Amino acid sequence: MFIVMASPECAPVAKAGGLGDFVQGLGRELSVRGNAVEIVLPKYDALRFAGISGMHKVYRDLWVPFHDKAIHCDVEYGEVDGLQCFFIDAHSEHGFFNRGKIYGDADDADRFAFFSRAVMEFLYKSGRRPDIIHCNDWHTGLMPVLLWEVYAELGMDHSRVCYSLHNMGHQGWTGPQVLHMNRLDAGRLMTPERLRDPGNPGAVNLMKGGIVFSNFVTTVSPRYAWEIQHTDQGMGLQGVLQEHDRKFGGVLNGIDYNTWNPEIDPHIPAQYGPDTLPEKAKCRAALRQRVGLGDAFKPIVAVVSRLDKQKGVELIRHGIYYALEQGCQFVLLGSAPDPAVDADFRRIKHEMDANPDCHLELGYDEDLAHLIYAGADMILIPSIYEPCGLTQMIAMKYGCVPVARRVGGLADTVFDANYSDRPFEDRNGYVFDDFTYAGLEGALGRGIGLWKRFPEYFRQLRVNGMRQDHSWNEPGQHYLDIYNHIRV
Ligand code: ADP
């Protein structure tokens, strides 16, 4: 099967969060199974170019329609971890992909609406006729609209679209200018059954366009699929998802065990698995040394996260003080897009300067993330909502026990040591329901208590998590089944 994946992210060259891991991991799984997989990304100036090999121009002079003109683009090709990637290089005064970052500008909707158009134009002009176009999140929501409104008539009527929702908190709310700039018929498309936002009749909702115009829609865990149809987690699109229920389902993400596996991970000082768990102590020592924690007989509680409201920043902050009070060490790696949150955590970092039991690293650091998963004993994930969450699955593979709120993909993957109705070998962490200090303390307190008083049980909990299979094997097959279901 010929599959094109279009996305604003692909790890490790353009990654802001789990979407980057998704594209890399699923892309690789589909390739290994013998499918032809091509990934199309913007050529950001902020790409990690070191991760791309053999970058060269493969398509010159792609003129992408833009209002009543066209923008000149080139397309470059390079391999990312063996994956075939194409990068759209746009030459215009807007500098759409030259912002020193992936997201976060006022014209993001225009930038990615343009990207969507450029990908479709590239596929069309280069003669590519994929069986499946796999689009992701609001950034590429306009692609299926463009396929069925423009390119099908030009001969691309063989392709079918699978559209994955990674986060309903960002839907691409914007104005009709994204339709005008793509020469789409705003009168036809700005209707309640097409792209009009359900909550704001003047706004275009790009994610809604993706849902309505795709052949199949997935989201990244079964629990989140239910939550976004039946609770306010749908952020206004519950009705649309219910209406399109027959082509909608949740597929739990995998993680890429080539990247996230302590048995082969080159980022950590000692490799280990469930049968060689004592080696983890070397990673714990290296982590302490790397972040300046004292050498003490204390569990290390960690956070690796975007410090976004979604991730439960109030409870993360409280978790720091609670863990220290309970005699733990705490290490946090996080980047905060919101300046107020950033300032708050910088203040705590400053306050903890002289504390040998606490370290906050504010920024994005792939290497340190690996060492934290390997060195820490527990990871705190108190999200308000969590579509899938990769950190708990990565942490479990490294024998680091998750303490998580029971929402979305966390509810599908973390099973409480004490209260789960699953057999003991499935239990792998601690969960809580209430988004309160007491809720967090209850779960984290039980984890700390087990570490201190029943180390053998705590070790068993680590091993249970390490032995669970969250590879892309099963989800990869699930996506192939979906592709086969919709392909012509
Ligand atoms: P989201 O996609 O909402 O950010 P996920 O749990 O799905 O959350 O994925 C997070 C991914 O990003 C994981 O691979 C995690 O290790 C990584 N990550 C998050 N914050 C950082 C950071 N500050 N530095 C390095 N990696 C990070």
Side-chain angles (χ1 to χ4, degrees), residues 343-382:
D344 190 28
F345 278 86
R346 282 188 194 282
R347 182 190 56 71
I348 302 172
K349 179 179 169 64
H350 186 64
E351 177 189 324
M352 298 292 175
D353 256 355
N355 189 332
D357 287 331
C358 187
H359 180 82
L360 275 58
E361 186 91 7
L362 299 177
Y364 187 91
D365 187 333
E366 193 79 25
D367 274 354
L368 181 57
H370 284 254
L371 187 58
I372 291 178
Y373 292 120
D377 298 291
M378 280 169 268
I379 190 151
L380 189 57
I381 316 168

Side-chain angles (χ1 to χ4, degrees), residues 416-419 430-432 441-451:
D416 194 277
N418 305 121
Y419 301 127
Y430 290 91
V431 300
F432 63 101
E441 289 176 12
L444 184 54
R446 285 185 291 126
I448 296 167
L450 193 75
W451 186 95

